[in-house]
Amino acid sequence: MSQYQELKQACYAANMQLPQLGLVLFTFGNASVVDREKGVFAIKPSGVPYATLRPEDIVIMSLGGKIVEGDKRPSSDTKTHAVLFNHWDHIGGIVHTHSTYATAWAQAQLDIPLLGTTHADHLTADIPCAPPMSDAMIAGDYEHQTGWQILNEFQRRGLSPREAEMVLLSNHAPFTWGSTVEKAVYNSAVLEEIARMAYLSSTLRPGVPRLKDALIQKHYDRKHGANSYYGQS
Ligand SMILES: [Zn+2]
């Protein structure tokens, strides 16, 4: 039996949640899980529909980008996942989808403004939309450069990937991450819901003001602050 059996199963389960949550159609999207002790990550194979995906189809990659185990080609977005795993060593899983509302904001090249407490429960920043990639980045090692576009945008904004566990890529779609792949999947679903709410609010009332600072801090802190009191202790 493969020493990566559990890792493959975790990756398979995370990928299968994406269609169940209505976040992907057909072969769109991919989830990955890292095992830092072994120096590998598991990722969905390229172009395999969720309906026929099996745990043994999951591909094991080294963090250096080589196939370690698997007879399928890995997701075409594998290099983007590798760049993020290699630079943000606290993350355990990554999810990429083309979920409709989040992708609509990405295609409009807009940050998702913080308009309500649902958003503030998860992060105090607007959800960043990284700018369109340059022609040189696109012509180069595209998926590798896509990872760098995300890293550079967080750097430019002084934004922590521990607080903001989600990003939009202009003209493309979202990526989310988390300490575990389950958290990354959760973040993908939360992002889609926030994107839908923000779209509806800004359509009902163009120019709707951002949530006021006192409410942003209140909602974030009651869930994530030093004296958080949301949920059961
Ligand atoms: Zn994509």
Side-chain angles (χ1 to χ4, degrees), residues 141-220:
D141 192 348
Y142 173 62
E143 291 81 9
H144 181 79
Q145 294 295 339
T146 300
W148 275 101
Q149 189 75 350
I150 296 171
L151 296 179
N152 290 340
E153 189 59 15
F154 270 66
Q155 176 94 38
R156 194 182 68 76
R157 293 178 188 234
L159 195 56
S160 162
R162 290 177 190 273
E163 191 204 321
E165 296 182 321
M166 48 189 74
V167 71
L168 307 176
L169 278 163
S170 278
N171 313 125
H172 186 178
F175 277 84
T176 64
W177 50 88
S179 53
T180 62
V181 74
E182 290 79 14
K183 183 71 194 304
V185 170
Y186 168 88
N187 283 332
S188 273
V190 166
L191 167 60
E192 179 60 6
E193 196 60 15
I194 290 172
R196 193 161 71 99
M197 290 173 176
Y199 171 77
L200 292 169
S201 303
S202 48
T203 302
L204 283 168
R205 183 179 167 191
V208 57
R210 201 166 182 272
L211 187 64
K212 58 191 209 168
D213 285 343
L215 271 173
I216 294 173
Q217 220 49 56
K218 182 74 191 167
H219 272 263
Y220 190 75

Side-chain angles (χ1 to χ4, degrees), residues 1 14 53 76 78 81 84 109 115 141 143 182 189 199 214 219:
M1 199 170 81
L53 183 66
S76 51
T78 297
H81 291 243
L84 298 183
Q109 301 176 23
L115 299 180
D141 192 348
E143 291 81 9
E182 290 79 14
Y199 171 77
H219 272 263

Side-chain angles (χ1 to χ4, degrees), residues 77 96 98 172:
D77 297 313
H96 173 53
H98 289 198
H172 186 178

Side-chain angles (χ1 to χ4, degrees), residues 110-133:
L110 291 170
D111 290 357
I112 302 178
L114 202 176
L115 299 180
T117 63
T118 319
H119 183 145
D121 282 340
H122 296 89
L123 70 163
T124 60
D126 294 347
I127 294 165
C129 184
M133 290 165 67

Side-chain angles (χ1 to χ4, degrees), residues 4-145:
Y4 303 115
Q5 197 78 10
E6 267 181 48
L7 193 61
K8 286 183 185 180
Q9 186 59 45
C11 181
Y12 169 77
N15 274 285
M16 292 308 287
Q17 272 202 285
L18 304 180
Q20 283 162 17
L21 288 165
L23 298 171
V24 301
L25 274 177
F26 307 120
T27 64
F28 301 7
N30 40 71
S32 65
V33 194
V34 73
D35 181 333
R36 298 205 179 261
E37 268 173 31
K38 296 194 172 105
V40 299
F41 64 99
I43 193 161
K44 184 180 176 287
S46 181
V48 176
Y50 293 90
T52 60
L53 183 66
R54 302 166 307 164
E56 55 267 37
D57 294 331
I58 299 296
V59 185
I60 303 294
M61 303 291 303
S62 72
L63 283 167
K66 300 248 181 313
I67 296 180
V68 173
E69 193 173 290
D71 33 68
K72 298 236 175 345
R73 242 191 308 171
S75 160
S76 51
D77 297 313
T78 297
K79 286 183 179 176
T80 309
H81 291 243
V83 167
L84 298 183
F85 280 137
N86 280 315
H87 287 84
W88 291 341
D89 58 12
H90 67 286
I91 67 178
I94 299 171
V95 170
H96 173 53
T97 77
H98 289 198
S99 66
T100 309
Y101 284 86
T103 300
W105 286 92
Q107 291 184 172
Q109 301 176 23
L110 291 170
D111 290 357
I112 302 178
L114 202 176
L115 299 180
T117 63
T118 319
H119 183 145
D121 282 340
H122 296 89
L123 70 163
T124 60
D126 294 347
I127 294 165
C129 184
M133 290 165 67
S134 68
D135 290 355
M137 288 177 97
I138 294 165
D141 192 348
Y142 173 62
E143 291 81 9
H144 181 79
Q145 294 295 339

